C-alpha cells in the first residue's frame, strides 16, 4: 500500500508483525497450503501489506519461484511496469520455450525497446505471459505476490488477469492485496476476483479491537499512554492500525496532553491523508462540517438550530465527496471515518472551534451537551459555567455515564475561580472517583497526583491518596509508601481515618494474607465511620468485614452481613462490588444456595451496568460465570467469563482474577490448553502484584486445568502450594476455592493414597463444621477413588453412587457428571453394558467438552485394548506379578498383604511400581490387561 511520503516511521518498526489477525491469517495459510489463491482487501492503513508480507514469508519457502510486484499511484500510468517487476528477472530462464512471436512481444514489453502495445500485440503478449508462467510452473510451484492491485498499470493488470483465468490445474498461485472502500457487505472487490484464479479466497481486513490497538502501540514503542488515551486513539482511528500508530506517535511525542472534552490532536500527516477532498467544498460547507465534528451526535435539525441553515445541501455535497456516510433515513450526520471528524476539528483555529461550541451550547437539546459546549466555548474562570458543568457531571453520574461525568468534572474545575465552593480540587477529586468507577484507573491516578502536588487540606489529600490506592487495584504492594502519608494527613479525624483503615483492611488481606488482621481493620473502619456518622463508608467497611469472615469460615459472617444490609442503605454501596450485596452473594454461593446466588448476582450486574460502574461489572460478570459453572452450565459460564476477561483487558481492572475464572470455565467447557495458558497468566500476575489472596485462587485454577489435561503430577504440585498458602492465610472454609477434591483425586492417580486420605479427612472436618454439603459430596467422590485404588471396589461403588445423587440434588451438574464418570471407570470390565453412557449424557447436558472428550477416549479404550499391552505383564518382577495376579482375582490390598505376608503399605508401593511399568493408572487397568492376554 502506498501512502503519502510525509509519514514518519514508527519508533520501532516491525514490518512482519501481525497483531489481532491470527485467525484470519490461519485461514489464508490453509487456503494457500491447499493450492488456492488469496485476495486480501480492505481500506487504506488497515494492514493489508503487513499481512501480505507475513503470508508470503510463511508460504514462500514452500514454492520454487516467488514473483513479486508492488505498484504505486504515481507509477500507475507506465505500461507494463508491474509485468516487468514480476517477470523481468526470470523470463530469460524460460525464454527459449516460448514461440518466437511471443518471445519478441514479451521482450519488447519488458524492456521498453520496440513498440509493443496491447492494441498491436495483444494476443501474442497474453499468450506469452501465460506460457511463461506455465514454463516456470513446470519446474516447480510458483507464487505471485502482488500488493496494491488498484495501482497496477492497466496493461499489466489485463495480462495478469488473462493468465490467472487460464491457469487451472497449473501450480501457480496468487497472493494479492487491494484497497477497497466499501462496507464489509459491499462487493467492490468482486472486479478484482474476476481477474484472479477461480479458486481465490477473498479475505476482508477489518478494524482491530481496542485491546489489539493497545498491543500494537506497545510493540511500536508508544508505551505509557494512559488507557483512556488508548481508548480515544481506538475510537478516533476506527481501529485502523496505521491511523492508530500515527495518532499514538503524535501523542507520545507531545509534551501537552489533550484537553478534556476535546478530540485528539491529529498529526499533519493524517490530516493530509483524510482531508484532501475538503478543497472541493465551499467555505460554508466546511463550517457546517466543523460544527458537526464538534457535536456528539449531530443531526440536520441540530445543525440548522446552530445556525447552519443550508445544512442539508452542504452535508449532501460532503457525502458525495465521501466525507460523510450516506444512510437512508438515518437520524444522525455520520462521518465516513471518525478520523475525518477529528482531523477537521484539529485543522480549525481555536477561534473557529469556540464559535462552533458556542453555537452548539444553545442549540443542543441535552443539558449535559449544552454544558460541555458552553465550557469549550469559554475561556478563563467563570463560577456560572463551573456550576452548570458541575450539575451536568452529576446528571451524567446519575445516568450511569461516569466517564462523561469525569470529563465534565475536570472542565468544571478548570472554570472554577479561587475561593469558590466547591473548590476546584474538590471537583477534580470527584472527577477522579468518577474515572475509577468508569474503569479509567490511569486517568484517575493522574488527577489524584495533580491534586496532591498542591493541596494542603487534609480532607483533599486523604481523598487523593485513596484514589491512588484504589487505582493500584490488587497490586497494593506497589503503593505501600502511601499508607503512612495518608495516616499522617488524616490526623485524628474519624471520617478520614475510616478511609485509611478501610484500605489497610484490604492491604492486610491482599498483601499480607492475614485474615484476622483484615477483619480487625474492617471492624475498626466500621466503628470509626459510625462515630463520624458516615453511613456510606460504614456500609463498605461492614461489607468487607463480612467478606473476610465468610472466606475464613468465621461463625459471625451471617450476622455481619445482616448488619451491612440494615437500613438506611446507600444505593451505590448496595451494588458496589465491595458492598453488602456482593458479600451476601459470596456467602450464598459458598453455602450451596445456587438459585438465590444467581438471582442476587444477576440483579447486581443489571444495576451496575445501568450505572456504568465498570469495575463492578467485571467483578459481577465473574460472579455470574462462577455460579453458572457450579450449576454445570459450562457454555453459559464460558461466555460470561470470556466477556469478563475482555472487559478486564480493555480497562486493566481485575485481569488476574478474570484470567483465573476464565481458566476454570475453559477447563470445563472450552479448550484445556487455553485453560492452562490463562491459569499460568493469572499465577504470574498475582505473583507480580504480590497478591497472595488471588495467588492461591490462580494456583487452584492451574491445578484444576492440569487435572483435566491428565497431568496428575502437575496438579499435585500446584495444589500442594495452594494448601500451604491457605494454611498460612488462615483460610478454613473449603468452599472458598474447592480445590481439595482435585488434590485428593490427583494424589490417588499418583499412588500417594495416604496423603490423599489426609487431605480428605482434614477437609471433611472443616466442611462438616460449616455445613458445606457440596464439598462433602466431592470429598466422598475422591475417597471412593482412593478406596478403589486400595481394592475396596464395592464400598467405592456405593460411595460414588451416593455422591452422585447428592450432587444432583444440590444442582452441581458438572460435579455430578464427574461422579458418574468415576463410577463408569470403576465398573469397567464388569458385565455392565454401555458403562460410560450416563457420564457422556451428563457431560453433554453441561456442554463440558473437555470432559466429554475424555469419556469418548475411555469408551474407545474400553472397546479395543491394544493386544501388545498384555505382554507387558511378563516384564514385572516376581512380587509385582504375584500382587498383580491377586488383583486380577479381586483381592483387596489387605487380603493381598495377608496372603503374601507383607504389609499393606508394601502392597500399595508395589502396585505403584506396577502402574508405572505398565503405563496404567488403576487396578481396573490390570484386569483389562489380563483380559487382553486371555483373549490373545
Amino acid at each position: 500500500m502506498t501512502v503519502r511520503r510525509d509519514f514518519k516511521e514508527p519508533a520501532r518498526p516491525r514490518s512482519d508483525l501481525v497483531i489481532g489477525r491470527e485467525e484470519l491469517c490461519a485461514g489464508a495459510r490453509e487456503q494457500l497450503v491447499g493450492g488456492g489463491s488469496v485476495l486480501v482487501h480492505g481500506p487504506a492503513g488497515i494492514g493489508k501489506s503487513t499481512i501480505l508480507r507475513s503470508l508470503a514469508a510463511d508460504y514462500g519457502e514452500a514454492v520454487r519461484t516467488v514473483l513479486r510486484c508492488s505498484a504505486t499511484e504515481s507509477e500507475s500510468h507506465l505500461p507494463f511496469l508491474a509485468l516487468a517487476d514480476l517477470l523481468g528477472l526470470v523470463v530469460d530462464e524460460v525464454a527459449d520455450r516460448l514461440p518466437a512471436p511471443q518471445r519478441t512481444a514479451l521482450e519488447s514489453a519488458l524492456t521498453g525497446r520496440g513498440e509493443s502495445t496491447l492494441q498491436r500485440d495483444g494476443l501474442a503478449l497474453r499468450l506469452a505471459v501465460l506460457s511463461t508462467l506455465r514454463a516456470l510452473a513446470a519446474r516447480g510451484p510458483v507464487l505471485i505476490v502482488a500488493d496494491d492491485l488498484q495501482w497496477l498499470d492497466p496493461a499489466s493488470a489485463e495480462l495478469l488477469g488473462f493468465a490467472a483465468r487460464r491457469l487451472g490445474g497449473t501450480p501457480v498461485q496468487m497472493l494479492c492485496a487491494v484497497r477497497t472502500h466499501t462496507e464489509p457487505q459491499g462487493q467492490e472487490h468482486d472486479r478484482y476476483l474476476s481477474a484472479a484464479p477461480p479458486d481465490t479466497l477473498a479475505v476482508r481486513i477489518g478494524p482491530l479491537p481496542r485491546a489489539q490497538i493497545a498491543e500494537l502501540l506497545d510493540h511500536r514503542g508508544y508505551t505509557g499512554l494512559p488507557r483512556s488515551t488508548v481508548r480515544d486513539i481506538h475510537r478516533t482511528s476506527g481501529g485502523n492500525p496505521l491511523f492508530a500508530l500515527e495518532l499514538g506517535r503524535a501523542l507520545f511525542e507531545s509534551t501537552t496532553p489533550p484537553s478534556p472534552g476535546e478530540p485528539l490532536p491529529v498529526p499533519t500527516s493524517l490530516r493530509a491523508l483524510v482531508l484532501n477532498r475538503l478543497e472541493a467544498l465551499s467555505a460554508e460547507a466546511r463550517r457546517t462540517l466543523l460544527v458537526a465534528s464538534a457535536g456528539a451526535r449531530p443531526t440536520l435539525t441540530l445543525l440548522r438550530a446552530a445556525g447552519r441553515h443550508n445544512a442539508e445541501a452542504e452535508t449532501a455535497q460532503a457525502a458525495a465527496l465521501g466525507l460523510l456516510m450516506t444512510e437512508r433515513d438515518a437520524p444522525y450526520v455520520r462521518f465516513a471515518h471518525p478520523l475525518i471528524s477529528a482531523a477537521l476539528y484539529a485543522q480549525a483555529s481555536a477561534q473557529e472551534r469556540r464559535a462552533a461550541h458556542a453555537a452548539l451550547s444553545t442549540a443542543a437539546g441535552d443539558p449535559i451537551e449544552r454544558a460541555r459546549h458552553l465550557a469549550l466555548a469559554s475561556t478563563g474562570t467563570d463560577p456560572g459555567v463551573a456550576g452548570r458543568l458541575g450539575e451536568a457531571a452529576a446528571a451524567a453520574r446519575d445516568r450511569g455515564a461516569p466517564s462523561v461525568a469525569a470529563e465534565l468534572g475536570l472542565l468544571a474545575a478548570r472554570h472554577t475561580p479561587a475561593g469558590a465552593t466547591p473548590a476546584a480540587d474538590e471537583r477534580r477529586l470527584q472527577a477522579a472517583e468518577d474515572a475509577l468507577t468508569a474503569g479509567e484507573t490511569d486517568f484517575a491516578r493522574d488527577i489524584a497526583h495533580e491534586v496532591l502536588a498542591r493541596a494542603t487540606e487534609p480532607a483533599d489529600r486523604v481523598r487523593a491518596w485513596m484514589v491512588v490506592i484504589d487505582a493500584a487495584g490488587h497490586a497494593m504492594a506497589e503503593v505501600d509508601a502511601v499508607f503512612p502519608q495518608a495516616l499522617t494527613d488524616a490526623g485524628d479525624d474519624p471520617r478520614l481515618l475510616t478511609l485509611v483503615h478501610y484500605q489497610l483492611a484490604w492491604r492486610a488481606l491482599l498483601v499480607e494474607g492475614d485474615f484476622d488482621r483484615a477483619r480487625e481493620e474492617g471492624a475498626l473502619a466500621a466503628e470509626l465511620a459510625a462515630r463520624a456518622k458516615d453511613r456510606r463508608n460504614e456500609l463498605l467497611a461492614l461489607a468487607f468485614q463480612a467478606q473476610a469472615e465468610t472466606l475464613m469460615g468465621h461463625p459471625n459472617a451471617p450476622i455481619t452481613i445482616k448488619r451491612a444490609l440494615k437500613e438506611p442503605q446507600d444505593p451505590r454501596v448496595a451494588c458496589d462490588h465491595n458492598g453488602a450485596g456482593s458479600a451476601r452473594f459470596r456467602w450464598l454461593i459458598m453455602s450451596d444456595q445456587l438459585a438465590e446466588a444467581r438471582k442476587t448476582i444477576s440483579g447486581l450486574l443489571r444495576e451496575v451496568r445501568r450505572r456504568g460502574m465498570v469495575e463492578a461489572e467485571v467483578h459481577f460478570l465473574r460472579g455470574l460465570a462462577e455460579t453458572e459453572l457450579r450449576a454445570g452450565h459450562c457454555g453459559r459460564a464460558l461466555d460470561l467469563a470470556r466477556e469478563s476477561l475482555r472487559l478486564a483487558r480493555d480497562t486493566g481492572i481485575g485481569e488476574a482474577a478474570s484470567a483465573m475464572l476464565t481458566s476454570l470455565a475453559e477447563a470445563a467447557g472450552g479448550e484445556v490448553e487455553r485453560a492452562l495458558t490463562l491459569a499460568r497468566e493469572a499465577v504470574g500476575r498475582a505473583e507480580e502484584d504480590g497478591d497472595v489472596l488471588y495467588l492461591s485462587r490462580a494456583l487452584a485454577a492451574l491445578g484444576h486445568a492440569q487435572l483435566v489435561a491428565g497431568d496428575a503430577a502437575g496438579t499435585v504440585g500446584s495444589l500442594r502450594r495452594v494448601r500451604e498458602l491457605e494454611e498460612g492465610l488462615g483460610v478454613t472454609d473449603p468452599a472458598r476455592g474447592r480445590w481439595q477434591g482435585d488434590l485428593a483425586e490427583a494424589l490417588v492417580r499418583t499412588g500417594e493414597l495416604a496423603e490423599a486420605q489426609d487431605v480428605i479427612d482434614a477437609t471433611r472436618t472443616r466442611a462438616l463444621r460449616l455445613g458445606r454439603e457440596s464439598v462433602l459430596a466431592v470429598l466422598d467422590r475422591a475417597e471412593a477413588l482412593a478406596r478403589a485404588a486400595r481394592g475396596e471396589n464395592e464400598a467405592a461403588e456405593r460411595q460414588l453412587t451416593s455422591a452422585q445423587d447428592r450432587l444432583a440434588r444440590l444442582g452441581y451438574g458438572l460435579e455430578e457428571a464427574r461422579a458418574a464418570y468415576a463410577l463408569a471407570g470403576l465398573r469397567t470390565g464388569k458385565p455392565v453394558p454401555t458403562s460410560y453412557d450416563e457420564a457422556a449424557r451428563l457431560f453433554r447436558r453441561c456442554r463440558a467438552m473437555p470432559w466429554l472428550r475424555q469419556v469418548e477416549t475411555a469408551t474407545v479404550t474400553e472397546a479395543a485394548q491394544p493386544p501388545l499391552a498384555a505382554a507387558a505383564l511378563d516384564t514385572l518382577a516376581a512380587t509385582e506379578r504375584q500382587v498383580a495376579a491377586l488383583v486380577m482375582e479381586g483381592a483387596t490390598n489387605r487380603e493381598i498383604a495377608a496372603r503374601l505376608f507383607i504389609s499393606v503399605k508394601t502392597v500399595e508401593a508395589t502396585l505403584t511400581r506396577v502402574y508405572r511399568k505398565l503405563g496404567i493408572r488403576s487396578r481396573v487397568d490390570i484386569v483389562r490387561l489380563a483380559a487382553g492376554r486371555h483373549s490373545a
Side-chain angles (χ1 to χ4, degrees):
M1 173 178 52
T2 302
V3 293
R4 296 181 63 90
R5 303 294 184 188
D6 55 354
F7 273 92
K8 294 183 181 179
E9 285 296 317
R12 287 190 301 168
R14 294 278 301 279
S15 61
D16 60 339
L17 183 66
V18 177
I19 289 176
R21 313 292 194 189
E22 292 79 8
E23 185 175 344
L24 179 149
C25 286
R29 288 190 194 97
E30 185 177 341
Q31 169 77 358
L32 292 169
V33 169
S37 298
V38 174
L39 175 69
V40 177
H41 66 102
I46 205 68
K48 303 181 300 297
S49 297
T50 301
I51 290 171
L52 201 72
R53 284 192 294 269
S54 175
L55 291 171
D58 288 348
Y59 185 67
E61 297 177 1
V63 299
R64 187 182 188 280
T65 305
V66 179
L67 308 176
R68 299 176 187 271
C69 71
S70 182
T72 64
E73 184 178 11
S74 61
E75 299 167 341
S76 61
H77 67 286
L78 300 173
F80 305 120
L81 186 62
L83 189 67
D85 287 342
L86 286 171
L87 301 180
L89 298 178
V90 297
V91 70
D92 290 342
E93 300 176 19
V94 296
D96 57 346
R97 302 188 189 182
L98 304 182
Q102 293 180 25
R103 183 168 61 248
T104 301
L106 185 59
E107 287 176 354
S108 175
L110 295 180
T111 62
R113 295 191 295 270
E115 300 178 357
S116 183
T117 65
L118 275 179
Q119 288 74 25
R120 176 178 174 178
D121 302 310
L123 182 58
L125 272 174
R126 288 174 172 84
L127 293 174
V129 173
L130 181 60
S131 299
T132 300
L133 292 174
R134 284 174 172 164
L136 289 170
R139 306 189 313 175
V142 176
L143 177 67
I144 298 172
V145 182
D147 199 1
D148 281 307
L149 286 184
Q150 75 276 3
W151 302 135
L152 251 64
D153 62 275
S156 295
E158 166 62 25
L159 293 170
L160 196 57
F162 175 86
R165 290 189 293 271
R166 291 163 176 79
L167 284 169
T170 306
V172 177
Q173 297 168 263
M174 295 182 69
L175 174 58
C176 306
V178 63
R179 180 186 300 179
T180 52
H181 302 284
T182 56
E183 293 295 310
Q185 65 270 22
Q187 301 299 317
E188 186 183 347
H189 64 281
D190 274 2
R191 62 190 180 96
Y192 296 102
L193 276 176
S194 66
D199 59 351
T200 299
L201 172 69
V203 178
R204 178 175 176 83
I205 313 300
L208 289 174
R210 187 198 307 178
Q212 290 164 348
I213 287 292
E215 185 181 351
L216 180 64
L217 291 167
D218 284 343
H219 273 290
R220 294 300 177 94
Y222 308 137
T223 56
L225 293 172
R227 288 181 185 273
S228 55
T229 301
V230 173
R231 178 202 63 198
D232 290 343
I233 289 174
H234 177 258
R235 184 178 61 230
T236 303
S237 69
N240 184 298
L242 175 65
F243 297 170
L245 287 171
E246 282 298 299
L247 289 166
R249 177 183 62 79
L251 288 163
F252 188 76
E253 294 173 355
S254 173
T255 56
T256 307
S259 300
E262 293 190 351
L264 292 180
V266 179
T268 305
S269 55
L270 283 185
R271 291 188 216 172
L273 183 68
V274 300
L275 296 183
N276 52 8
R277 285 164 286 182
L278 273 183
E279 296 173 2
L281 285 176
S282 66
E284 288 301 309
R286 289 190 202 183
R287 290 191 187 96
T288 295
L289 289 191
L290 174 61
V291 174
S293 73
R297 290 179 296 175
T299 63
L300 289 174
T301 301
L302 176 66
L303 293 175
R304 286 192 289 267
R308 310 312 305 162
H309 303 298
N310 296 319
E312 191 163 358
E314 290 161 352
T315 55
Q317 183 187 4
L321 292 170
L323 292 165
L324 297 177
M325 298 289 289
T326 53
E327 296 180 81
R328 184 174 297 176
D329 300 325
Y332 300 114
V333 175
R334 284 185 55 202
F335 285 88
H337 192 281
L339 189 64
I340 297 174
S341 172
L344 265 167
Y345 190 90
Q347 192 179 49
S349 67
Q351 183 177 354
E352 289 172 328
R353 293 180 201 169
R354 285 197 295 272
H357 286 296
L360 289 168
S361 69
T362 56
D366 186 273
I368 293 176
E369 272 299 289
R370 287 200 300 272
R372 184 178 76 88
H373 289 303
L374 177 62
L376 295 172
S378 307
T379 57
T381 59
D382 184 322
V385 172
R388 284 183 60 182
L389 285 165
E391 292 169 2
R397 199 175 302 120
D398 289 341
R399 287 186 193 178
S403 181
V404 175
E407 175 190 305
L408 293 169
L410 281 185
L411 287 171
R414 181 193 295 177
H415 289 282
T416 301
T421 302
D425 278 345
E426 188 174 345
R427 294 190 190 278
R428 290 187 182 94
L429 288 168
Q430 180 61 63
E433 290 162 1
D434 287 329
L436 282 176
T437 301
E440 298 175 8
T441 52
D442 295 339
F443 187 29
R445 186 188 300 110
D446 290 345
I447 297 171
H449 281 301
E450 181 187 349
V451 171
L452 286 166
R454 59 171 176 269
T456 57
E457 286 294 320
D460 289 343
R461 294 188 61 80
V462 171
R463 194 172 166 191
W465 288 128
M466 296 306 102
V467 171
V468 172
I469 293 169
D470 276 332
H474 284 267
M476 293 190 82
E478 296 178 3
V479 292
D480 255 356
V482 166
F483 288 97
Q485 299 177 69
L487 282 169
T488 299
D489 285 331
D492 57 1
D493 186 329
R495 184 172 58 87
L496 300 181
L497 286 170
T498 296
L499 303 177
V500 183
H501 282 285
Y502 177 71
Q503 296 290 2
L504 283 169
W506 278 106
R507 183 190 177 281
L509 193 64
L510 298 177
V511 179
E512 297 174 3
D514 188 336
F515 273 80
D516 287 325
R517 171 78 184 280
R519 178 175 177 267
E520 290 169 5
E521 288 285 359
L524 175 58
E527 180 188 330
L528 288 164
R531 196 188 311 166
K533 295 184 173 18
D534 182 352
R535 182 60 176 166
R536 179 182 185 278
N537 284 302
E538 182 187 5
L539 290 169
L540 281 172
L542 285 169
F544 174 89
Q545 184 183 341
Q547 290 263 30
E549 289 172 350
T550 298
L551 294 175
M552 65 195 296
H554 197 284
N556 285 359
I559 298 170
T560 309
I561 290 172
K562 286 181 181 178
R563 287 178 62 200
L565 289 170
K566 276 186 179 179
E567 296 294 341
Q569 286 289 317
D570 182 313
R572 291 187 66 82
V573 174
C575 65
D576 190 278
H577 62 289
N578 291 321
S582 181
R584 181 171 180 270
F585 161 74
R586 181 55 48 195
W587 183 79
L588 287 168
I589 200 169
M590 290 174 68
S591 303
D592 299 325
Q593 299 182 55
L594 295 184
E596 189 62 24
R598 182 186 291 108
K599 179 181 176 182
T600 299
I601 199 71
S602 298
L604 289 168
L605 182 58
R606 283 194 299 272
E607 183 62 16
V608 298
R609 280 176 166 166
R610 187 183 71 80
R611 291 177 176 272
M613 300 168 69
V614 176
E615 184 173 5
E617 182 180 357
V618 174
H619 186 91
F620 293 147
L621 276 169
R622 287 199 305 269
L624 185 54
E626 181 183 355
T627 308
E628 300 296 356
L629 199 57
R630 296 272 175 262
H633 304 152
C634 300
R636 170 72 171 147
L638 185 58
D639 290 343
L640 289 163
R642 286 174 174 171
E643 185 181 352
S644 168
L645 185 59
R646 281 194 297 270
L647 190 55
R649 294 212 194 286
D650 278 352
T651 59
I653 294 172
E655 289 185 76
S658 291
M660 176 274 298
L661 198 282
T662 309
S663 170
L664 291 172
E666 290 282 357
E671 296 295 332
V672 179
E673 285 303 316
R674 176 73 173 150
L676 289 165
T677 299
L678 286 168
R680 291 185 179 113
E681 176 193 335
V683 169
R685 286 182 177 275
E687 288 177 333
E688 183 182 337
D689 292 345
D691 183 347
V692 291
L693 188 66
Y694 264 102
L695 177 57
S696 68
R697 296 290 304 274
L699 284 166
L702 177 58
H704 180 73
Q706 289 167 323
L707 183 72
V708 179
D711 180 9
T715 300
V716 170
S718 297
L719 297 186
R720 276 176 177 161
R721 281 189 67 191
V722 178
R723 192 180 189 189
E724 293 170 5
L725 277 169
E726 292 206 350
E727 285 176 356
L729 287 167
V731 177
T732 60
D733 193 333
R736 175 193 177 246
R738 298 176 183 268
W739 49 266
Q740 296 85 352
D742 284 349
L743 175 56
E745 183 175 334
L747 287 165
V748 171
R749 290 188 189 182
T750 58
E752 298 165 269
L753 300 182
E755 185 180 348
Q757 194 62 53
D758 177 64
V759 170
I760 292 166
D761 291 343
T763 307
R764 181 177 282 133
T765 299
R766 293 172 174 175
L768 282 168
R769 177 176 64 83
L770 296 166
R772 303 304 191 216
E773 289 299 323
S774 61
V775 174
L776 289 167
V778 168
L779 291 174
D780 279 353
R781 185 184 67 206
E783 188 171 49
L785 294 172
R787 281 182 166 174
R790 291 194 294 267
E792 303 166 18
N793 285 12
E794 290 185 8
E797 190 170 334
R798 286 195 302 273
Q799 193 169 19
L800 271 175
T801 302
S802 171
Q804 182 182 343
D805 290 343
R806 287 154 59 201
L807 288 165
R809 285 198 303 272
L810 290 167
Y812 281 74
L814 183 56
E815 300 295 355
E816 175 197 356
R818 285 180 62 181
Y821 180 40
L823 190 58
L826 195 63
R827 290 171 173 168
T828 301
K830 294 184 178 184
V832 180
T834 58
S835 56
Y836 283 102
D837 282 2
E838 174 70 359
R841 182 185 69 81
L842 292 172
F843 281 134
R844 198 172 290 113
R845 184 184 69 183
C846 294
R847 288 179 59 191
M849 302 314 296
W851 289 101
L852 191 58
R853 286 190 283 270
Q854 288 191 34
V855 171
E856 291 167 354
T857 301
T859 304
V860 171
T861 303
E862 182 184 16
Q865 184 70 30
L868 290 177
L873 291 168
D874 298 328
T875 66
L876 301 178
T879 302
E880 293 166 352
R881 279 200 304 273
Q882 286 178 311
V883 170
L886 290 170
V887 168
M888 293 172 204
E889 294 176 13
T892 66
N893 286 5
R894 191 172 300 280
E895 290 168 344
I896 294 170
R899 289 174 64 174
L900 298 181
F901 302 99
I902 57 179
S903 69
V904 174
K905 285 193 174 182
T906 302
V907 175
E908 292 172 355
T910 303
L911 277 175
T912 299
R913 292 197 302 274
V914 170
Y915 297 157
R916 186 170 59 249
K917 286 184 178 182
L918 299 183
I920 61 179
R921 298 193 305 183
S922 71
R923 300 165 65 92
V924 171
D925 293 330
I926 296 178
V927 176
R928 289 178 182 165
L929 290 174
R933 173 197 291 248
H934 297 321
S935 64

